[in-house]
Amino acid sequence: MTAPGRRSSTFTRLLRHGFTDPSAAERLLDGGELAPVRDDPVLLEALGATADPDLALHGLVRLLEAQPGPTARRELLDTLIAAKPLRDRLLGVLGASEALADHLARHAGDWQALVTYEPRDLHRGVAEFERGLAEADDPVSLRVAYRRCLLSIAARDVCGTIDVAETAAELADLATATLRAALALAEAAAPGDAALCRLAVIAMGKCGGHELNYVSDVDVIFVGEPAEGVDGADEAKALRAATSLASHMMRICSETTVEGSIWPVDANLRPEGRNGPLVRTLSSHVAYYQRWAKTWEFQALLKARPVAGDPALGAEYVAALQPLVWQAADRENFVPDVQKMRRRVVETIPVAEVDRQLKLGPGGLRDVEFAVQLLQLVHGRADTSLHSGTTLDALEALAAGGYVGRADAAQLDEAYRFLRSMEHRIQLHRLRRTHLVPEDEADLRRLGRSLGLRTDPVPGLLRAWKRHASVVRRLHEKLFYRPLLDAVAQLAPGEARLSPEAARERLVALGYADPAAALRHLEALASGVTRKAAIQRTLLPVLLGWFADSADPDVGLLNFRKVSDALGQTPWYLRLLRDEGAAAENLARVLSAGRLAPDLLMRAPEAVALLGDGDAGGLAPRGRAQLEQEILAAVRRADGAVQAVTAARGVRRRELFRTAAADIIGSYGTEARPVEADPGALVDRVGGAVSDLTAATLAGTLRAVVREGWGDTLPTRFAVIGMGRFGGHELGYGSDADVLFVHEPRDGVDEREASDAANKVVSEMRRLLQVPSADPPLLIDADLRPEGKSGPLVRTLKSYEAYYRRWSLVWERHALLRAEFVAGDADLGRRFTELVDPLRYPADGLGEDAVREIRRLKARMESERLPRGADPKLHAKLGPGGLSDVEWTVQLLQLRHGHTEPALRTTRTREALAAACAAGLISEENATTLDEAWVLAARVRNAVMLVRGRAGDTFPTDPRELAAVGRYLGHGPGHAGDMLDEYRRTARRARAVVEDLFYA
């Protein structure tokens, strides 16, 4: 007897053998049914080897209790202990499938089906299953016989006698035998109908592909013809008879009886789906596919296989339609259609299930199947070896023909087998149709153990699943591209590879407009036996997919070749792309998104390092203080002003690239970083980064010019005041720097000398920042100064004070709303700001005359400055609801209320708009409308500059450029029209608010 508080030795042994509830197991073993063998080590070892020892023991006790008498129980126990094959099969099934344990408890003699152990028993086919179902004479007995056959498949599956592909094939063969048996029952019930028609059952989907699951709809299509000897005029009557037989056959399989159902028979893949007739003649099928079928319907026909009914008619169906399948790739937008369908499938998955979906989720079974089917359809036209409905067989054929890299095919094969094994074991447990990985710890433990993961089965299972899903995600697009490199790299002689024509077809299908040039680039990058070429062959399959996801894949590939040529001898370049997780995708997005970022990169390709995700890289914008520190340090080291400003412009070019790259990646999104959810944040980031960079560049240029001409001290204090978008921290990529220059002679310095020095500084700064070089120029615009172009370029602070006191016009006060110190003498800049504050935030607000003048100026600007021929509704700056509308409306509120509302005293449009809303000067709804319009218009201007490489305020007319702007703004391929409609709607709503607030 076990001492109190101590575990029995049986309890300890049960724990060691994997039981999770040893106490309950001990009670079952001590019960009457298992008492004769409770101490037999063979039994415990066999139970411990199952997926769920507790479940297996419970199922065994139920089976013993169900035996008709002591003799039957003794026979079962004796056979179980003596015959290892039966022991492994029976306990393996009981430990993996609660549903089959239920079946055995109801049909206590069916365990005998697992006793046979002969070579022919190892791989059963349709004939063996037909014999197993032969005695079924009604739907109930058919279900019992079906479960008995299923029991034999499951037993050999869980014992590893057959692998996952053989299991799936046997399940398809069992389905074939079952459909034949069900059709025979239907014909026996209606011999008159059977005599009138010929009916063929065509298996589709996984059944047709010989890769069925344990629990799955069986997809079919029916073909009917009048029976031989029946008058052709009675075709309608024959079709009615065939429809009656087909419907009855479906009910026999699908309806629930006392023995449950077998599986649903689904005929929705037929022409016109559920809206079309259940049975059609062969000629009707052919006519439909020739005239009306969609791309996905040809994809579905890849797996069509006659399985039941009239074999000759089934063969005629396949012979008639197979040629049409292999013409599908010639259809317009074939590849985008297939890929769109895949995306649509993913989008329909409930959010809560995406991460648990084995079949439909990213990196799931459907990714492998879609990729394989797409390649079959593209290349199967000329290569009949690809005409297989079975995914793994087709994948093997694609690898053998050079259409898929062998290493990629091997990895996909392994991942697909693992994911299908998971799917099989999940469904086998309760024989329910599901593709979701369970969340319950016990279910995960049983699943992991069923796949051979006995040590830490749950963590091991989750690691293996994520690893295989990651392989599928990584490879399913790369499958299309790696063979293109093998076609041009010309490595191992005799290795199968794509022909030039096949490579060209694939590139065209994937969106490359000039496949010949693309192949030349690939050859230049990937040919040879050098380490560099080997790394390129690793990188390019992934990069080509990312290029194809852009509006202009050809440009992306060309730019990549240029960067690679420039950095080819640099040891860190390819290593960065290979080893840094985000760098390669970031580079692909940047190179294929337009002209600006690649142009900036080509001038100094080493900036690629910024795209890495390590400590040395990073695309976060740098602050003004950090930029100024770097530029001023470069100025100190430089030999003269020219060299100093060249260094400053080099920093500006690099930082412009950093900002543009971050903007593109935030707008496109990558695997590592989703699309920025707040477009306003993107605009603010660009505006702030470019404005800070411009201020730092001006500060460095000012220091360089002063050092060159006057040493450490200029005869006059000097400050640069940012105006317009510069002062508002809203510069775009193509914006000029609007500024005012102010100076103040130092003590004892003649005013003329001070003025001459200040003018020379301005003149030299403007010249040096526009000197032609590899770096983009920085244009300084001082036209917002007093008296405009007619006034002096530089004034003293006293001169500004005198002018503004006596002569300032409304438009100048309006312009001063954006005035902010940006470079030079900070104290002088502060005093200038204090000088203009009473002008831009007048104590008495704005008089009606001034308001009318502002409205008049706005109307004049709209009529005179809008380019001739431009569509006003699509002009992001001057059009209705554009930047100008929003900004003038906000600025009018600032002029009127800035004195009494301190929060309005800001140079930034969005900040001022939010302050006006908080102060109750504009409703929240109207503020949101104006903000959305301003952000969209600003993003349009940024997109145009990024895409075209030159500034513009309207949408491009070139289709590819327009598509690229659309991608930046979040509109997929073929949705440029939606983008323009969205802009018009947004601008129209904003204009209505402007009419109410500005013009009313």
Side-chain angles (χ1 to χ4, degrees):
M1 180 177 176
T2 305
R6 297 187 60 184
R7 300 291 192 189
S8 70
S9 60
T10 303
F11 185 97
T12 305
R13 280 164 48 216
L14 290 170
L15 270 179
R16 194 168 62 248
H17 281 95
F19 286 84
T20 57
D21 189 353
S23 299
E26 197 169 11
R27 287 194 298 272
L28 289 174
L29 286 169
D30 288 339
E33 306 301 338
L34 285 172
V37 294
R38 67 181 299 278
D39 294 320
D40 194 314
V42 168
L43 178 63
L44 273 188
E45 288 287 342
L47 287 167
T50 65
D52 188 338
D54 302 84
L55 185 66
L57 177 58
H58 184 256
L60 179 59
V61 170
R62 291 178 63 205
L63 177 59
L64 286 166
E65 290 172 346
Q67 296 305 307
T71 304
R73 278 196 291 276
R74 193 177 313 111
E75 180 188 2
L76 171 56
L77 278 177
D78 290 347
T79 310
L80 188 72
I81 299 301
K84 185 178 188 312
L86 171 72
R87 186 166 63 246
D88 291 344
R89 291 180 178 192
L90 178 58
L91 295 183
V93 168
L94 293 174
S97 179
E98 197 175 298
L100 288 177
D102 291 343
H103 172 83
L104 286 169
R106 288 195 308 273
H107 303 281
D110 277 5
W111 67 271
Q112 300 275 2
L114 304 180
V115 174
T116 308
Y117 189 74
E118 298 178 8
R120 71 171 183 272
D121 180 55
L122 298 182
H123 301 291
R124 293 189 171 186
V126 175
E128 287 81 8
F129 290 126
E130 284 188 301
R131 283 196 293 273
L133 302 176
E135 295 181 7
D137 55 7
D138 59 40
V140 173
S141 59
L142 180 61
R143 280 151 178 71
V144 175
Y146 174 83
R147 287 283 198 283
R148 191 182 304 122
C149 293
L150 191 67
L151 185 66
S152 71
I153 297 175
R156 285 174 290 117
D157 176 19
V158 298
C159 291
T161 308
I162 54 177
D163 66 18
V164 65
E166 292 167 328
T167 301
E170 288 198 14
L171 289 167
D173 285 341
L174 175 56
T176 297
T178 306
L179 289 171
R180 291 177 182 178
L183 182 57
L185 290 175
E187 289 174 338
D193 286 343
L196 284 174
C197 65
R198 299 165 64 203
L199 177 65
V201 183
I202 311 298
M204 305 288 284
K206 282 189 160 38
C207 184
H210 234 83
E211 49 189 16
L212 198 61
N213 298 327
Y214 275 102
V215 186
S216 175
D217 291 357
V218 171
D219 296 308
V220 299
I221 285 177
F222 296 105
V223 192
E225 296 284 350
E228 290 184 15
V230 175
D231 189 342
D234 288 335
E235 182 179 286
K237 189 175 181 181
L239 284 179
R240 283 195 297 273
T243 299
S244 176
L245 290 174
S247 299
H248 191 187
M249 187 203 82
M250 293 173 69
R251 290 196 302 274
I252 289 171
C253 296
S254 305
E255 286 181 346
T256 301
T257 69
V258 292
E259 288 292 336
S261 67
I262 301 176
W263 18 246
V265 177
D266 188 341
N268 288 336
L269 290 178
R270 67 186 183 270
E272 301 181 74
R274 63 185 62 200
N275 296 320
L278 184 63
V279 183
R280 287 175 183 258
T281 63
L282 178 58
S283 60
S284 175
H285 276 284
V286 172
Y288 174 84
Y289 283 103
Q290 285 177 335
R291 296 187 61 189
W292 308 112
K294 298 180 175 63
T295 299
W296 69 265
E297 293 178 281
F298 292 105
Q299 187 179 353
L301 282 175
L302 272 172
K303 296 183 178 294
R305 179 172 66 94
V307 290
D310 191 300
L313 181 57
E316 290 174 40
Y317 173 90
V318 171
L321 292 183
Q322 282 300 298
L324 301 179
V325 173
W326 305 111
Q327 296 167 16
D330 294 329
R331 296 163 68 94
E332 188 176 358
N333 295 322
F334 164 70
V335 171
D337 279 352
V338 175
Q339 293 174 332
K340 189 187 301 179
M341 182 180 171
R342 173 68 189 117
R343 284 193 295 270
R344 194 179 301 131
V345 168
V346 173
E347 288 166 1
T348 60
I349 304 172
V351 175
E353 296 181 1
V354 169
D355 293 335
R356 296 169 51 217
Q357 258 286 355
L358 270 177
K359 178 180 179 181
L360 303 178
L365 293 162
R366 189 57 60 87
D367 274 349
V368 182
E369 293 159 0
F370 262 63
V372 168
Q373 290 164 20
L374 184 52
L375 287 173
Q376 284 182 276
L377 291 169
V378 169
H379 298 294
R381 289 171 289 180
D383 189 344
T384 57
S385 72
L386 304 181
H387 295 190
S388 171
T390 306
T391 301
L392 290 176
D393 291 347
L395 182 58
E396 183 180 0
L398 287 164
Y403 304 103
V404 171
R406 287 190 180 277
D408 291 344
Q411 287 188 64
L412 268 187
D413 182 278
E414 181 186 2
Y416 188 75
R417 287 174 184 272
F418 181 85
L419 296 173
R420 284 300 301 271
S421 296
M422 282 185 69
E423 182 183 46
H424 279 184
R425 300 302 162 80
I426 290 169
Q427 293 183 349
L428 181 59
H429 180 221
R430 291 192 173 91
L431 288 182
R432 290 179 183 166
R433 183 172 181 260
T434 178
H435 309 285
L436 293 178
V437 177
E439 296 177 296
D440 180 73
E441 185 83 8
D443 289 336
L444 289 170
R445 182 176 183 272
R446 182 185 58 257
L447 180 57
R449 284 175 59 90
S450 77
L451 296 171
L453 302 167
R454 298 304 166 94
T455 306
D456 292 330
V458 175
L461 170 70
L462 296 178
R463 280 195 303 272
W465 171 36
K466 295 302 181 187
R467 175 170 57 83
H468 286 298
S470 176
V471 165
V472 172
R473 267 199 314 273
R474 192 179 76 249
L475 289 181
H476 110 270
E477 289 288 351
K478 194 161 79 171
L479 278 186
F480 302 116
Y481 303 106
R482 193 192 291 275
L484 294 168
L485 305 181
D486 295 337
V488 298
Q490 300 175 2
L491 293 175
E495 182 75 17
R497 59 171 61 90
L498 286 182
S499 67
E501 180 60 24
R504 190 196 69 79
E505 286 177 353
R506 191 176 298 191
L507 282 165
V508 169
L510 294 162
Y512 286 80
D514 189 350
L519 286 171
R520 286 196 300 273
H521 299 323
L522 293 178
E523 185 173 5
L525 288 163
S527 291
V529 294
T530 64
R531 182 173 173 275
K532 181 177 79 170
I535 295 176
Q536 287 281 23
R537 287 193 291 273
T538 301
L539 292 170
L540 276 164
V542 188
L543 290 168
L544 284 167
W546 287 324
F547 294 148
D549 189 40
S550 73
D552 199 340
D554 302 82
V555 167
L557 179 56
L558 172 62
N559 286 334
F560 180 69
R561 180 180 175 184
K562 288 179 180 178
V563 173
S564 296
D565 288 347
L567 293 176
Q569 303 307 315
T570 309
W572 56 263
Y573 166 61
L574 290 174
R575 188 169 62 244
L576 170 81
L577 298 184
R578 183 191 63 194
D579 299 339
E580 292 276 1
E585 186 174 6
N586 289 346
L587 179 62
R589 297 299 182 199
V590 167
L591 293 180
S592 56
R595 295 179 184 175
L596 178 66
D599 285 351
L600 292 168
L601 183 59
M602 298 307 171
R603 291 166 180 172
E606 65 275 5
V608 166
L610 299 175
L611 300 173
D613 56 2
D615 293 336
L619 294 171
R622 302 167 74 199
R624 182 179 302 190
Q626 191 178 2
L627 292 168
E628 261 192 47
Q629 184 180 16
E630 180 183 0
I631 289 174
L632 292 175
V635 168
R636 283 194 299 272
R637 292 191 301 268
D639 184 14
V642 172
Q643 190 180 99
V645 176
T646 298
R649 289 175 66 182
V651 172
R652 178 172 177 265
R653 182 240 315 123
R654 183 196 69 208
E655 295 303 319
L656 277 175
F657 172 74
R658 187 198 303 268
T659 303
D663 189 17
I664 290 166
I665 292 162
S667 299
Y668 271 69
T670 64
E671 283 189 18
R673 293 175 54 179
V675 174
E676 171 65 59
D678 179 9
L682 283 172
V683 172
D684 291 344
R685 200 174 303 143
V686 171
V690 178
S691 300
D692 285 346
L693 178 55
T694 301
T697 305
L698 289 177
T701 303
L702 175 60
R703 178 70 60 84
V705 170
V706 171
R707 276 187 60 198
E708 174 102 335
W710 294 272
D712 292 333
T713 306
L714 190 67
T716 185
R717 296 181 181 85
F718 188 91
V720 184
I721 308 299
M723 300 289 286
R725 298 192 184 286
F726 185 17
H729 300 258
E730 296 162 0
L731 283 180
Y733 299 110
S735 301
D736 296 348
D738 290 317
V739 297
L740 298 178
F741 297 109
V742 56
H743 77 104
E744 184 179 64
R746 295 186 186 277
D747 293 342
V749 176
D750 178 71
E751 193 162 315
R752 172 58 66 87
E753 179 188 353
S755 179
D756 288 345
N759 276 285
K760 286 179 182 177
V761 166
V762 171
S763 177
E764 190 65 1
M765 284 179 68
R766 298 177 81 176
R767 184 185 72 82
L768 290 173
L769 288 170
Q770 296 180 46
V771 169
S773 76
D775 300 311
L778 175 55
L779 303 178
I780 296 176
D781 187 343
D783 289 352
L784 292 175
R785 63 188 184 270
E787 302 178 76
K789 293 181 180 180
S790 304
L793 200 56
V794 190
R795 287 178 182 263
T796 64
L797 185 62
K798 287 182 179 179
S799 175
Y800 275 108
E801 183 180 11
Y803 177 85
Y804 286 137
R805 186 174 63 250
R806 298 181 61 189
W807 308 109
S808 66
L809 301 174
V810 171
W811 74 264
E812 290 172 311
R813 286 197 273 169
H814 184 198
L816 286 170
L817 285 166
R818 302 280 214 148
E820 181 175 286
F821 166 75
V822 293
D825 189 299
D827 179 66
L828 181 60
R830 177 185 56 77
R831 286 187 283 131
F832 179 88
T833 302
E834 291 172 352
L835 168 68
V836 301
D837 274 351
L839 291 167
R840 55 184 176 178
Y841 311 125
D844 298 329
L846 210 58
E848 284 305 312
D849 288 343
V851 171
R852 278 195 295 272
E853 177 64 12
I854 288 175
R855 290 172 177 161
R856 187 186 66 79
L857 288 170
K858 174 76 168 67
R860 178 181 166 191
M861 184 181 70
E862 287 180 10
S863 63
E864 293 181 359
R865 294 178 58 187
L866 194 68
R868 182 176 298 177
D871 182 353
K873 294 179 181 178
L874 293 175
H875 199 280
K877 183 178 180 181
L878 301 176
L883 293 172
S884 175
D885 263 5
V886 177
E887 289 164 1
W888 283 60
T889 301
V890 172
Q891 288 157 12
L892 183 59
L893 292 172
Q894 289 179 285
L895 286 165
R896 280 177 153 173
H897 305 284
H899 181 75
T900 56
E901 296 290 345
L904 285 171
R905 299 172 200 168
T906 174
T907 61
R908 305 174 189 229
T909 301
R910 299 187 73 209
E911 200 173 284
L913 182 57
C917 181
L921 302 174
I922 179 174
S923 70
E924 186 174 346
E925 181 183 357
N926 285 345
T928 300
T929 299
L930 293 181
D931 185 71
E932 288 175 352
W934 189 90
V935 167
L936 180 56
R939 294 201 75 212
V940 168
R941 295 182 88 212
N942 284 344
V944 170
M945 183 67 186
L946 285 169
V947 169
R948 304 182 70 194
R950 60 181 187 274
D953 297 315
T954 59
F955 290 90
T957 54
D958 177 81
R960 285 216 165 193
E961 290 180 347
L962 186 64
V965 170
R967 293 304 306 276
Y968 174 87
L969 295 176
H971 296 273
H975 289 278
D978 294 340
M979 170 184 65
L980 298 178
D981 288 343
E982 180 195 8
Y983 182 85
R984 290 188 183 99
R985 279 195 307 272
T986 304
R988 187 167 58 247
R989 289 196 297 265
R991 181 65 179 198
V993 176
V994 171
E995 294 281 357
D996 185 45
L997 294 178
F998 185 83
Y999 288 109

